[in-house]
Amino acid sequence: MQTSVQSAVLVLEKLRPSPATLRAFGLLVVLLCVLFVASGQVSGHQILDNMRQAAPLGIITLGQALILMMGRLDLSVGATAGLANVVLAMTFAGNMDNMAYALSVTLGCGALVGVANGLLVVALRIPAFLATLATSLVLTGTTLVVTGGSPRGSIPAEFRVITEGWFLGVLPYSVILWLAAIAGLTTLVHFTMPGRRMLLAGANARAARLNGIAAGRMIVISFVLSSLAATIGGILLSAITGMASIGIADAYTVDSIAAAVIGGAVFGGGVFLAAGVSIGALILFFVQSLLYVVSLPPATRFIVQGGIIVLALALANIRRKSD
Amino acid sequence: MLNGSIRFNLLLALPALILTILLVVFTASLSSSFLSSANLANLTNRVLPLGMVALGEAIVLMAGRIDLSVGTIMSLATAIMALTVSSIGWLAIPLAMLAGVGAGLFTAAGVILLRINPLVMSLATAAIVKGVTLLLLPKPGGQVSYDFYALLFEGESPLGVPLLIVILVYGAFILLAGWTRFGRSIYAAGSDPRAAFAHGVSSARVDLQVYALSGALAALAGVFLSIRILSGDPLIGDAYTLDAVSAAILGGIALKGGRGNLIGVLLAVISLVLINNTFNLLQLDTNLQAIAKGLIFVAALVFFMRGKAGDAD
């Protein structure tokens, strides 16, 4: 009895939000207040509806945060999500009967990208950001060669329920998927042995290796998970748009980095804050819709993207220095 | 010993030299039009912009940093050219280069003052520059006067002005890198910032200089590009970032800084342009080029980083 109480306390201790997550949450609340002033109304339903649309970015950001935990950067998530979009539309071909086939082929392609990234980094010892940059170039090229520049197929209307539909009219399905991804990755990293090994390999690869952890294998697994997250993000995005288009997901690469650093991700590795980076993704999404509300040109989106990265990292560094 | 000096590092250019020769022999034997004067002129015209942007990237890499914003700075320069040449004439060129220097200084400020990881800081700069470029010029357009084109590219001769510019600029930077205090401080800061600091080299100052140079050279590349296409294009430079890093690595510049020479970079630029040209002459799908570039990049990285076990990143 005593031990079960103790372990419950231990679990709660681990789930306590970090200061970075709380700060991100505070920023989100401030942002919602601004949105309220700007648009005149903010309801719970409206926030959930925004979360529904932010879900692709949120899930992709979770994968990016996992790679950041490993002390690396994945610059191929945008291209991977775009690949998922094209492959899903081609394999679905607008027919709901193909669902099992379409989803397995799409997720299989995503996993392959992750394996390729992981092997480039581990077996060939290429720095991760360059390896993933090369992968994204190859993916974009392959997509263009295979489709000839005009992708075929479409997503059947029935499948689009996963982003349009609400569970019991209360919670959008895509938000449920997002929450499940947060819970799954939090459990993996903080409550299972493989996850702890990954965390240690990310925090200090040499120490991990000296403790008998196959750091290389952990890196490959993290890249597979990141590419799968990008693929799921691409699938959700496809369900929103209903069709395939080239380059549709390119902005997700830098967006996911920006969202992760708002949520407290650090570049040294060894930190994984699933809730924090998800709030980061939501903040980025709200900022982008705020730009839309005040009708600034779409180009400002990029300026905000870069500005947020600089600001978030500058604040994090200044705080670290003063601590 | 003497690792930092260019004069003892010529061997690093050997792989790029061999690749260049192989490509020339291969393409010349497959296509009769390869050695035509028009095609050779086309080659030097393409070496010009990539050569400039790769030079800047190589200098940043020698200092142990990286700049992933060079492609977007090129686009910005084409936009500035397209929008201002008609009103201020040739003054548009220094203006575009000033903008490039500004972008480079912004990256350097983030790296030095805010201690942001150079890779991520340059990505952030890239996003901001892209946004500014798209604000200035939302879609390809504008006009760059034909006078500049006539001055630079007319005559269709492989021994024209572009070749002269490449030789002069590379010559100047080879001298700068190998035979001046500034050049040695780059190598020193790149190979061991702490030891360099102990010997009176401020790595912050080197960062500031290399990022400013890289921004200026990227902008110059954009200027040449806009003159060639006679207009501006807000996205045209994007693909050059990877090409520039690729050329620098293929040319033997060490990714961790402190090693490499610029002759290798020029040869690597030439071989990248040759690969492009081979694809065109053999009339292969242009999209295959993207795949080939990615694979060449990986091959170059594997080749030059082989045998360095134990590196965590």
Side-chain angles (χ1 to χ4, degrees):
Chain A
M1 192 64 206
Q2 187 67 26
T3 52
S4 73
V5 170
Q6 272 174 347
S7 62
V9 169
L10 220 65
V11 167
L12 283 178
E13 187 72 14
K14 275 185 187 169
L15 288 177
R16 194 177 59 187
S18 75
T21 306
L22 290 176
R23 273 195 294 271
F25 188 72
L27 187 59
L28 180 65
V29 172
V30 171
L31 200 62
L32 285 176
C33 293
V34 173
L35 263 182
F36 181 74
V37 173
S39 65
Q41 58 173 56
V42 170
S43 66
H45 182 272
Q46 198 189 335
I47 293 173
L48 279 174
D49 193 54
N50 273 297
M51 284 180 73
R52 176 179 75 80
Q53 297 168 54
L57 173 62
I59 292 175
I60 294 173
T61 303
L62 283 170
Q64 185 71 267
L66 201 66
I67 300 297
L68 284 168
M69 177 188 91
M70 303 304 289
R72 289 171 170 80
L73 210 53
D74 188 344
L75 296 184
S76 69
V77 291
T80 310
L83 177 78
N85 171 246
V86 170
V87 173
L88 191 73
M90 271 171 73
T91 46
F92 246 131
N95 187 348
M96 196 59 185
D97 297 338
N98 298 332
M99 186 168 85
Y101 168 67
L103 285 180
S104 49
V105 170
T106 309
L107 288 169
C109 286
L112 269 182
V113 174
V115 171
N117 280 337
L119 289 180
L120 286 174
V121 171
V122 173
L124 300 180
R125 293 204 187 92
I126 298 176
F129 74 99
L130 290 177
T132 50
L133 202 59
T135 313
S136 77
L137 193 69
V138 172
L139 287 182
T140 312
T142 312
T143 323
L144 284 170
V145 170
V146 172
T147 61
S150 48
R152 293 177 305 275
S154 66
I155 316 294
E158 297 96 311
F159 184 75
R160 299 181 61 187
V161 166
I162 63 161
T163 50
E164 313 269 294
W166 293 56
F167 177 68
L168 300 177
V170 208
L171 213 53
Y173 288 113
S174 56
V175 174
I176 295 176
L177 200 61
W178 187 1
L179 293 174
I182 297 174
L185 286 175
T186 305
T187 312
L188 171 73
V189 172
H190 295 296
F191 296 101
T192 68
M193 262 332 270
R196 265 179 239 168
R197 290 197 186 107
M198 281 170 73
L199 188 71
L200 181 57
N204 189 334
R206 187 164 298 177
R209 223 174 284 127
L210 292 174
N211 278 291
I213 293 171
R217 200 178 305 160
M218 296 300 138
I219 294 168
V220 177
I221 293 173
S222 68
F223 273 106
V224 171
L225 286 174
S226 166
S227 295
L228 281 177
T231 306
I232 294 171
I235 293 174
L236 288 184
L237 182 70
S238 315
I240 291 176
T241 63
M243 55 174 194
S245 23
I246 301 284
I248 187 174
D250 286 353
Y252 280 123
T253 302
V254 183
D255 269 351
S256 67
I257 297 170
V261 296
I262 302 170
V266 294
F267 283 94
V271 175
F272 183 71
L273 307 166
V277 300
S278 298
I279 294 171
L282 211 50
I283 290 175
L284 192 64
F285 186 82
F286 275 125
V287 169
Q288 282 166 354
S289 31
L290 195 64
L291 294 179
Y292 186 75
V293 168
V294 296
S295 59
L296 285 171
T300 46
R301 174 198 172 127
F302 295 105
I303 300 176
V304 167
Q305 214 181 33
I308 280 180
I309 293 179
V310 175
L311 214 63
L313 288 177
L315 286 177
N317 287 353
I318 289 166
R319 201 175 298 116
R320 202 184 311 150
K321 212 185 288 175
S322 66
D323 280 351
Chain B
M1 204 190 137
L2 288 174
N3 208 17
S5 174
I6 179 185
R7 280 163 283 176
F8 301 89
N9 262 332
L10 284 176
L11 266 184
L12 288 172
L14 200 60
L17 179 66
I18 294 173
L19 184 63
T20 308
I21 294 173
L22 284 178
L23 279 166
V24 168
V25 173
F26 175 73
T27 317
S29 66
L30 277 182
S31 164
S32 55
S33 51
F34 174 72
L35 288 172
S36 71
S37 150
N39 188 50
L40 289 180
N42 170 34
L43 283 179
T44 48
N45 293 351
R46 281 171 190 279
V47 164
L48 183 61
L50 183 57
M52 295 303 121
V53 66
L55 182 61
E57 187 70 64
I59 291 168
V60 176
L61 284 176
M62 287 197 306
R65 305 297 193 198
I66 190 158
D67 190 350
L68 294 185
S69 66
V70 289
T72 55
I73 294 176
M74 280 181 73
S75 304
L76 176 65
T78 69
I80 292 176
M81 286 290 284
L83 292 174
T84 59
V85 158
S86 55
S87 51
I88 61 173
W90 66 271
L91 280 174
I93 297 175
L95 184 68
M97 289 181 71
L98 214 59
V101 170
L105 290 180
F106 182 72
T107 309
V111 171
I112 301 164
L113 299 177
L114 306 174
R115 300 187 179 283
I116 297 175
N117 176 315
L119 162 63
V120 181
M121 186 61 210
S122 69
L123 268 182
T125 306
I128 295 171
V129 171
K130 186 176 189 173
V132 172
T133 309
L134 283 167
L135 279 182
L136 289 175
L137 190 74
K139 52 180 193 289
Q143 202 173 11
V144 176
S145 141
Y146 188 81
D147 299 346
F148 289 103
Y149 186 93
L151 211 62
L152 211 59
F153 298 118
E154 216 163 51
E156 293 263 311
S157 155
L159 301 173
V161 185
L163 186 69
L164 189 70
I165 296 175
V166 169
I167 290 173
L168 283 179
V169 172
Y170 267 84
F173 273 92
I174 285 169
L175 289 177
L176 203 65
W179 280 269
T180 67
R181 189 187 157 81
F182 167 63
R184 287 197 191 134
S185 70
I186 294 177
Y187 282 108
S191 52
D192 189 342
R194 200 166 293 178
F197 184 74
H199 287 83
V201 174
S202 147
S203 79
R205 190 177 157 160
V206 171
D207 285 345
L208 207 63
Q209 289 165 329
V210 294
Y211 276 115
L213 268 179
S214 159
L217 285 166
L220 189 61
V223 166
F224 291 139
L225 204 56
S226 70
I227 292 175
R228 203 178 76 205
I229 63 174
L230 298 168
S231 64
D233 182 337
L235 298 174
I236 196 168
D238 284 9
Y240 279 86
T241 302
L242 190 73
D243 277 359
V245 181
S246 206
I249 306 274
L250 198 61
I253 305 281
L255 200 54
K256 290 196 167 153
R259 207 165 57 108
N261 76 75
L262 299 173
I263 297 172
V265 177
L266 181 56
L267 287 167
V269 167
I270 294 171
S271 49
L272 285 185
V273 169
L274 281 173
I275 290 167
N276 198 321
N277 190 240
T278 310
F279 271 88
N280 291 339
L281 287 178
L282 301 181
Q283 291 171 341
L284 295 171
D285 186 342
T286 46
N287 294 317
L288 281 174
Q289 279 183 35
I291 302 176
K293 269 186 199 165
L295 296 179
I296 290 163
F297 185 45
V298 168
L301 282 165
V302 171
F303 186 81
F304 281 101
M305 302 190 48
R306 200 180 38 181
K308 291 187 189 163
D311 286 348
D313 44 342

